Amino acid sequence: MNIKLGGDPSLFGWFIIAIAVIMTIGIYIAYRKRQVIKWKYLLAVIIMLVVGIKWIIEN
């Protein structure tokens, strides 16, 4: 798969990481309020962090 983006390609990796961090903050707030946190959200954050870091390293 080949994705072409205008500008600096590493910005896309930082964008993915930024979204993952925002989601992590939301999950933490939900945890502090004793709300149920679904595993799929935790898995999505982990995958987004890995993909974002991998994208930055490759580009």
Side-chain angles (χ1 to χ4, degrees):
M1 186 164 113
N2 196 2
I3 299 173
K4 297 284 184 182
L5 299 172
D8 188 13
S10 68
L11 288 177
F12 186 67
W14 286 113
F15 179 72
I16 292 173
I17 291 174
I19 292 174
V21 169
I22 291 169
M23 288 176 65
T24 303
I25 293 169
I27 289 171
Y28 177 73
I29 292 170
Y31 173 75
R32 297 286 292 169
K33 290 183 176 182
R34 305 273 188 223
Q35 295 178 354
V36 176
I37 301 167
K38 295 184 179 180
W39 285 104
K40 64 181 178 182
Y41 298 135
L42 294 174
L43 185 63
V45 168
I46 292 169
I47 290 172
M48 286 175 69
L49 284 172
V50 169
V51 168
I53 291 170
K54 184 174 181 260
W55 187 281
I56 290 173
I57 290 172
E58 288 181 355
N59 295 311

